[in-house]
Amino acid sequence: MSPPVTHHVDSFANFLEVDYEHQTFLEASCHLLIQPNHRNSLGGIHGAVIFSLADITFAAACNASDGRYIGTQAEIRYMRGTDDQDLRATARLVGQSNRFAHYSVLVNDGKGREVALFTASAYKLGNRELGS
């Protein structure tokens, strides 16, 4: 599992075993290999796992710059279930201002099928200090 470019450890991402694949302010992607403990009582992938993967990918993108961002809003639309063992989330910047960044995150299974659409906004707290 590669650490995010920001060098800040996300303990929850590590707990879920999320793999950071690519990370810039404009776009980030993360991968998750589904484990038995990621499943709900019906055997499907738990919605909270899908949401978390999307949220982690969103955070990876907006914090890949010299800015320090915090999420202000997020929502998800679950589009289909999947029995695939692989999930990949890709976050893309869709708009920004001096203080806000807005992202769309698409979660696909290993067969390329769209599983969920997550949208989120982040507020820029300020810039990182050198060495942090």
Side-chain angles (χ1 to χ4, degrees), residues 91-111:
R92 290 189 175 88
L93 180 69
V94 295
Q96 74 180 100
S97 66
N98 289 336
R99 287 285 182 189
F100 288 93
H102 308 282
Y103 286 86
S104 173
V105 182
L106 190 57
V107 179
N108 291 348
D109 66 12
K111 298 173 184 167

Side-chain angles (χ1 to χ4, degrees), residues 4-129:
V5 171
T6 58
H7 304 291
H8 294 272
V9 176
D10 184 329
S11 299
F12 190 63
N14 290 340
F15 173 77
L16 289 177
E17 300 183 18
V18 172
D19 181 33
Y20 293 85
E21 297 182 317
H22 169 75
Q23 183 179 8
T24 69
F25 185 73
L26 298 176
E27 182 177 282
S29 61
C30 294
H31 172 260
L32 180 63
L33 181 61
I34 300 303
Q35 304 298 324
N37 60 339
H38 293 150
R39 299 202 173 270
N40 61 28
S41 62
L42 300 175
I45 300 169
H46 200 292
V49 171
I50 297 168
F51 185 97
S52 295
L53 175 63
D55 189 54
I56 289 164
T57 308
F58 156 64
C62 66
N63 286 300
S65 72
D66 64 348
R68 289 179 22 232
Y69 285 83
I70 187 165
T72 59
Q73 173 278 334
E75 70 176 13
I76 194 164
R77 289 174 181 85
Y78 299 100
M79 299 189 289
R80 71 175 300 134
T82 181
D83 57 0
D84 201 73
Q85 298 299 307
D86 290 308
L87 287 183
R88 178 165 283 102
T90 303
R92 290 189 175 88
L93 180 69
V94 295
Q96 74 180 100
S97 66
N98 289 336
R99 287 285 182 189
F100 288 93
H102 308 282
Y103 286 86
S104 173
V105 182
L106 190 57
V107 179
N108 291 348
D109 66 12
K111 298 173 184 167
R113 297 176 298 194
E114 297 171 346
V115 174
L117 174 64
F118 174 100
T119 56
S121 298
Y123 177 76
K124 185 177 183 180
L125 297 171
N127 289 328
R128 294 184 199 285
E129 295 182 22

